[in-house]
């Protein structure tokens, strides 16, 4: 089944403790992206990747890192999480760029206390 | 970043009526305009999209119209059903980035 797999689904952590949210797709998509979803603000792009070893900042990259060492994986790293990073995070992939439809992962509900 | 304005933020309609959601944008270079539906507690899912060389696209009860001159596009849902209740997001590309509107919460009243 074609899908984007995101883990974990739920995570509660403490301020400053490094964490990684994993994202993997099995559709050979070139473009992958991370979004955070907050009430009233919609989905805001954190980082995106056009292909392996090509990553770029979205609109809200502060406090986040990503890597794209393999085509299928695009992990999101929070090196020192803070409470303002409490949010619902979605990984998404598309065939070949920002002008193709997304397939989304199931989301990660992150709470930083 | 790109300014995508989506209206209304909430919309209630009677079952069987039509619903229209509109998005306006500023970047004339945008050429891809999809709509996503997000049910409560679920991930967003693509329901319809349109490219800049097309003015209208229809898929059963849903349609999208695009006015490139005026820089707005709209989602039209006809004969609404309770299962259409969800949050709908418009989106568009600007260069290599992709932006979403702030969402419209649609409630279909049986």
């Amino acid at each position: 089944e074609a899908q984007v797999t995101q883990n974990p689904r739920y995570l509660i952590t403490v301020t400053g403790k490094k964490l990684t949210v994993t994202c993997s797709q099995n559709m050979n998509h070139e473009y992958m992206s991370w979004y955070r979803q907050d009430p009233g603000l919609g989905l805001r792009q954190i980082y995106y990747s056009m292909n392996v070893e090509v990553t770029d900042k979205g609109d809200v990259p502060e406090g986040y890192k990503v890597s794209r060492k393999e085509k299928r994986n695009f992990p999101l790293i929070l090196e020192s999480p803070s409470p303002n990073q409490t949010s619902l995070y979605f990984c998404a992939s598309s065939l070949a760029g920002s002008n193709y439809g997304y397939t989304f992962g199931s989301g990660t509900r992150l709470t930083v206390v | 970043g790109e300014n995508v304005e989506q209206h209304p933020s909430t919309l209630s309609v009677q079952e069987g009526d039509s619903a229209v959601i509109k998005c306006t944008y500023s970047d004339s270079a945008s050429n891809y305009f999809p709509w996503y539906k997000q049910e409560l507690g679920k991930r967003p899912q693509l329901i319809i999209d349109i490219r800049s060389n097309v003015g209208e696209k229809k898929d059963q009860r849903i349609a999208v119209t695009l006015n490139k001159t005026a820089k707005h596009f709209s989602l039209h849902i006809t004969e609404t059903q309770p299962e259409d209740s969800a949050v709908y997001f418009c989106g568009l590309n600007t260069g290599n980035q992709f932006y979403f509107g702030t969402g419209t919460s649609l409630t279909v009243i049986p």
Side-chain angles (χ1 to χ4, degrees), chain A residues 3-106:
Chain A
Q3 60 186 353
V4 177
T5 303
Q6 198 179 324
N7 283 296
R9 290 293 308 276
Y10 302 93
L11 180 58
I12 302 175
T13 190
V14 296
T15 298
K17 186 175 180 183
K18 181 179 178 180
L19 66 92
T20 299
V21 184
T22 63
C23 175
S24 180
Q25 51 92 6
N26 63 359
M27 297 166 282
N28 202 36
H29 283 175
E30 291 186 356
Y31 188 93
M32 297 186 75
S33 186
W34 277 101
Y35 286 86
R36 59 178 290 172
Q37 184 173 24
D38 301 289
L41 298 177
L43 293 134
R44 294 178 293 166
Q45 194 170 38
I46 303 171
Y47 268 95
Y48 63 95
S49 169
M50 298 291 293
N51 214 321
V52 177
E53 301 291 2
V54 181
T55 63
D56 215 338
K57 296 178 181 178
D59 270 8
V60 288
E62 294 78 21
Y64 305 95
K65 283 176 59 176
V66 294
S67 67
R68 188 96 181 269
K69 297 189 174 76
E70 308 158 287
K71 197 169 188 178
R72 62 185 294 125
N73 295 324
F74 190 46
L76 179 70
I77 302 153
L78 285 73
E79 298 233 324
S80 183
S82 63
N84 64 10
Q85 293 178 296
T86 292
S87 186
L88 177 59
Y89 292 87
F90 284 102
C91 179
S93 72
S94 74
L95 181 64
S98 61
N99 55 345
Y100 289 85
Y102 277 134
T103 300
F104 280 87
S106 52

